[in-house]
Amino acid sequence: MSRVYNFSAGPAVLPEEVLQEAAAEMLDYKGSGMSVMEMSHRSKTYQNILNEAEADLRELMNIPDNYKVLFLQGGASQQFAMIPMNLMKNGVADYIITGQWAKKAYAEAKLYGKANAIASSADKTFSYIPDCSCLPISEDADYVYICENNTIYGTKFHTLPNTKGKTLVADVSSCFLSEPVDVTKYGVIYGGVQKNIGPAGVVIVIIREDLITEDVLPGTPTMLRYKTHADAGSLYNTPPAYGIYICGKVFKWLKAQGGLEAMKAYNEKKAKILYDFLDQSKLFKGTVEKKDRSLMNVPFVTGDADMDAKFVKEAEKAGFVNLKGHRTVGGMRASIYNAMPIEGVEKLVAFMQKFEEENS
C-alpha cells in the first residue's frame, strides 16, 4: 500500500528517509547485533546516541553553553506542573492564554501558586494573538508563560511578548525546529516531540542553568525536579530511548536540509500555497487573523458542518488523512510540519479546488 499524506496534528508525519534508516537498523544497530529498542541505556553505544542527539540539537538551535538540554518523559502536559514546581520561587506567575494548551498550563499552575492570566484571545475563539507589547506583568512574577504556536487554533507568536525583564517560558511543541529561534530570549523553551521531531513519548526541555536549583516547591517529587535530570544527563532513570534515537535522526535530517533557516523558507513556501488558496476560495476560509497565522497548523472551514464532514470523508478516500479539525473548533485543520513534503500541500490544494467546483 502506498503512503498517505498525513495532516495529523500529532503524532504526525516523519521524514521518510528517517523511517527507512530506522527500518534498516531495526534488527542490528551499527553491528551491535541488536535493536536500539533492546539496548541498555547505560551502554556506551546508547550514550553515543544521546550525546550525538544533544550535540546536533545544540548546533541546529545554536543553544548557548549556559543552557541544559533535557530529554524527558511525560509529554508537554507534565511540564505544566513541573514548571511551577521548579520555578515558582515567589509563588507568582503570569500566563498569556492563547488556546487550549496555555489554558491547561494556567489551570495547573494555579495548584502551586498565584497564576495570573494577563492577556487572552478567548473572546474570539483564540483566532488571534493579543498585543503583548505592554502587559500588566506582576512585580514579583517568577516567569511569564506562553504557548508559542497553537496547534488547535492555528495561531503563532511572531513577536515574543515584552516580559519587562521577567523570565520567558515557552511551550513550542508544534513549532519546534520549524524556524530559527534565539534561545537566549527564553528561560525555558520546551515541547513534546510528536508533532515536528519524533515519536510520541519524549519531551525536550531547554533550560537556562540558573533556573535549575535545589530550591523547589515542598513536596516536588524527585522525578519532577529539573536538577535530578540535569545532574544525571537525562539518564536518571530509563529514558524514552528509542524515541530519542529517532529524534537524533531527525536532527541529522534537518541539518542535511540546510538547517533551520532553510526549513523556515520551505515552511513559508508550503504555508503560502495553502493560505493563498484559502484567501481566494469561495467555499473554504481560514479562521485565523492573517498577521497571526501559524506556518504549521492551518485551520479552515466551509461554514457548514455537513459540508465539512463531506470534505473530510472524501479527502480521506483520496489519501489526505487526519484533516478533521479539533473537537473544540470543528471544521478542518491541515498540519504541515517540517516532514510534510511540498507536493502534499500542492495536491491537497488541487483536491480542495476540485471539491469546491463540484460543491458550489
Side-chain angles (χ1 to χ4, degrees):
M1 132 154 208
S2 63
R3 279 172 65 77
V4 293
Y5 287 111
N6 178 11
F7 292 94
S8 169
V13 60
L14 283 164
E16 271 190 39
E17 297 97 299
V18 166
L19 296 175
Q20 281 161 352
E21 245 178 68
E25 291 173 349
M26 179 54 88
L27 293 176
D28 178 11
Y29 176 74
K30 294 190 172 172
S32 66
M34 62 179 123
S35 171
V36 174
M37 259 185 219
E38 306 168 291
M39 200 172 275
S40 164
H41 61 295
R42 303 285 175 208
S43 65
K44 193 169 184 297
T45 310
Y46 189 74
Q47 185 68 60
N48 289 341
I49 290 173
L50 188 61
N51 292 350
E52 222 168 287
E54 180 177 334
D56 286 337
L57 180 61
R58 283 186 176 277
E59 188 185 324
L60 278 166
M61 290 181 76
N62 199 12
I63 299 171
D65 290 343
N66 66 324
Y67 282 74
K68 289 276 192 212
V69 174
L70 309 176
F71 293 91
L72 308 177
Q73 296 170 80
S77 296
Q78 187 157 286
Q79 294 304 309
F80 299 168
M82 214 163 159
I83 286 156
M85 283 175 166
N86 285 268
L87 303 190
M88 264 190 177
K89 315 292 188 202
N90 302 322
V92 182
D94 290 347
Y95 280 70
I96 299 168
I97 316 291
T98 50
Q100 207 77 343
W101 303 113
K103 205 164 135 185
K104 286 188 172 174
Y106 166 63
E108 193 74 11
K110 282 186 177 168
L111 302 173
Y112 302 102
K114 186 171 186 264
N116 308 302
I118 56 166
S120 170
S121 52
D123 61 330
K124 292 184 183 166
T125 331
F126 302 120
S127 58
Y128 71 103
I129 297 289
D131 177 9
C132 295
S133 56
C134 189
L135 295 164
I137 307 274
S138 313
E139 288 277 301
D140 52 353
D142 291 301
Y143 60 88
V144 177
Y145 183 101
I146 61 169
C147 179
E148 198 164 315
N149 186 87
N150 296 285
T151 323
I152 295 174
Y153 300 96
T155 59
K156 165 84 164 69
F157 279 84
H158 294 296
T159 306
L160 292 175
N162 173 6
T163 65
K164 300 179 180 171
K166 300 293 182 191
T167 297
L168 178 64
V169 174
D171 173 355
V172 296
S173 295
S174 52
C175 59
F176 223 155
L177 301 182
S178 62
E179 57 182 280
V181 288
D182 179 353
V183 175
T184 63
K185 289 184 173 168
Y186 306 81
V188 180
I189 181 167
Y190 80 91
V193 303
Q194 72 278 7
K195 299 169 185 297
N196 219 16
I197 303 174
V202 185
V203 59
I204 297 172
V205 175
I206 300 158
I207 177 168
R208 211 173 57 228
E209 281 177 348
D210 61 287
L211 298 171
I212 304 169
T213 64
E214 293 280 10
D215 174 24
V216 295
L217 294 188
T220 299
T222 304
M223 276 293 286
L224 296 186
R225 297 167 185 238
Y226 289 126
K227 195 166 188 334
T228 301
H229 301 285
D231 289 352
S234 298
L235 288 170
Y236 173 75
N237 67 323
T238 310
Y242 195 80
I244 294 168
Y245 153 78
I246 300 286
C247 292
K249 289 205 172 297
V250 172
F251 302 154
K252 292 216 180 297
W253 176 80
L254 284 167
K255 282 168 66 175
Q257 306 306 303
L260 301 190
E261 287 289 353
M263 267 343 282
K264 185 185 188 193
Y266 188 61
N267 288 326
E268 284 174 339
K269 201 170 158 190
K270 276 191 295 192
K272 188 178 188 309
I273 294 166
L274 186 46
Y275 284 126
D276 282 355
F277 171 72
L278 289 171
D279 288 344
Q280 60 79 48
S281 170
K282 295 204 167 32
L283 179 63
F284 299 101
K285 67 171 197 300
T287 58
V288 173
E289 287 191 16
K290 280 187 185 180
K291 67 176 178 38
D292 300 323
R293 283 171 165 175
S294 164
L295 293 179
M296 299 282 101
N297 310 100
V298 184
F300 56 97
V301 294
T302 64
D304 175 332
D306 292 338
M307 186 65 82
D308 288 352
K310 183 183 181 190
F311 172 77
V312 169
K313 200 173 163 189
E314 289 187 15
E316 190 154 334
K317 273 191 205 144
F320 305 101
V321 305
N322 294 316
L323 280 164
K324 190 172 192 257
H326 191 271
R327 61 186 180 277
T328 59
V329 186
M332 285 70 66
R333 170 182 52 181
S335 293
I336 50 176
Y337 299 124
N338 285 345
M340 171 58 67
I342 204 157
E343 58 271 19
V345 180
E346 289 166 344
K347 286 179 180 173
L348 174 64
V349 165
F351 176 79
M352 288 167 78
Q353 264 164 334
K354 183 169 165 278
F355 183 89
E356 181 167 333
E357 283 156 21
E358 290 166 1
N359 291 276
S360 56

